[in-house]
Amino acid sequence: MRNAIRGARLPQKLLVNLIGTFVLSFTYYHINYQNHLTEGGFVGLSLLGKYVLGLSPSVTVLLLDVPVLLIALALKGKAFVCHTFISVGSFTVFYGLMERYSGMTLDFHGNLALAALLSGLLTGVGSGLVLRCGGASGGDDILSLLISEWKGIKVGTVFIMMDIAVLLLSLFYMPLRETVYTGMAVVVAGQVITFTTSLGKPKRGKKLRVQPGARGRQEAAATITGKL
């Protein structure tokens, strides 16, 4: 019975994964790329590696992703890694199709604050949906999730801290203006990720401890009230 329920939910998770990945692809190409906003996370580290060491970003991202994926396989299981591979693969396909065929241009160079806000909102929704379906959109998101579960910190907060650290390093090669606006987008995205991943889930509250004597008095009071 449980296997049947899980099988019925699998297409829904796959659909949510693809929707989240499409939103991320749209955001990174039509907002971040077209308006020259930089990147945090592993992508930002790969760009830093290209600037400092001359390494290809494709090689750097692979070197960063593989160890994290192996750790996730051990800690989160095959299903999580499979959903992550689907997300990463579909992102590559969606982004490539947009880059080649999309004629849409969203020019916010005159209002980068709006670009940062939209980028943060859409990135948060996209990443949050992928996380909710049991996967991640990349190695940096996996790392954020693992640190969140290990330390008990909200995943969006970890996302913000990691990306801000990378953005500070990116000041070596990126203009200050674009980096600051990217930082704004990261903060918004982190808050939206926290909201999206926690939406509809019960909040953890503190359990009230009732002393035996107090419990006995409560039961006695209830009995007397019933008789009255």
Side-chain angles (χ1 to χ4, degrees):
M1 184 67 179
R2 289 183 178 179
N3 292 333
I5 294 174
R6 289 176 182 175
R9 292 181 60 187
L10 185 59
Q12 298 176 0
K13 287 187 175 182
L14 179 59
L15 178 61
V16 172
N17 194 340
L18 293 176
I19 291 174
T21 307
F22 179 83
V23 172
L24 286 173
S25 305
F26 180 90
T27 305
Y28 285 154
Y29 179 70
H30 287 97
I31 299 180
N32 291 30
Y33 172 74
Q34 291 183 353
N35 294 280
H36 301 135
L37 294 178
T38 184
E39 301 287 349
F42 284 1
V43 176
L45 285 176
S46 69
L47 295 175
L48 181 63
K50 180 180 181 181
Y51 176 80
V52 176
L53 302 174
L55 298 175
S56 170
S58 59
V59 175
T60 306
V61 169
L62 185 63
L63 292 175
L64 292 170
D65 277 346
V66 169
V68 177
L69 283 170
L70 293 176
I71 295 173
L73 180 61
L75 298 179
K76 303 291 291 182
K78 295 180 181 179
F80 178 84
V81 175
C82 286
H83 281 296
T84 299
F85 272 122
I86 292 172
S87 175
V88 172
S90 57
F91 177 87
T92 302
V93 173
F94 288 145
Y95 192 94
L97 290 174
M98 292 177 190
E99 194 175 30
R100 185 168 184 178
Y101 297 109
S102 177
M104 181 185 299
T105 301
L106 299 178
D107 188 358
F108 295 107
H109 286 91
N111 192 349
L112 282 182
L114 179 59
L117 177 61
L118 290 175
S119 174
L121 288 173
L122 294 177
T123 299
V125 170
S127 296
L129 289 176
V130 174
L131 288 171
R132 283 202 71 129
C133 76
S137 58
D140 48 343
D141 282 4
I142 296 175
L143 192 57
S144 297
L145 182 62
L146 294 177
I147 294 175
S148 171
E149 294 178 350
W150 176 38
K151 291 294 186 180
I153 307 173
K154 294 179 180 179
V155 63
T157 303
V158 181
F159 176 90
I160 292 172
M161 292 189 296
M162 290 179 56
D163 276 8
I164 291 296
V166 173
L167 289 175
L168 290 176
L169 294 174
S170 300
L171 288 173
F172 284 108
Y173 68 94
M174 283 298 299
L176 176 62
R177 181 170 178 262
E178 283 77 4
T179 304
V180 170
Y181 281 112
T182 303
M184 291 174 55
V186 164
V187 173
V188 174
Q191 297 296 327
V192 176
I193 287 174
T194 298
F195 175 78
T196 305
T197 54
S198 61
L199 184 64
K201 295 182 178 180
K203 295 183 179 180
R204 294 180 180 179
K206 295 182 179 179
K207 294 182 179 180
L208 295 176
R209 296 182 178 178
V210 180
Q211 298 178 354
R215 182 178 297 174
R217 287 194 295 271
Q218 290 176 354
E219 292 176 354
T223 302
I224 294 172
T225 304
K227 291 181 178 180
L228 291 175

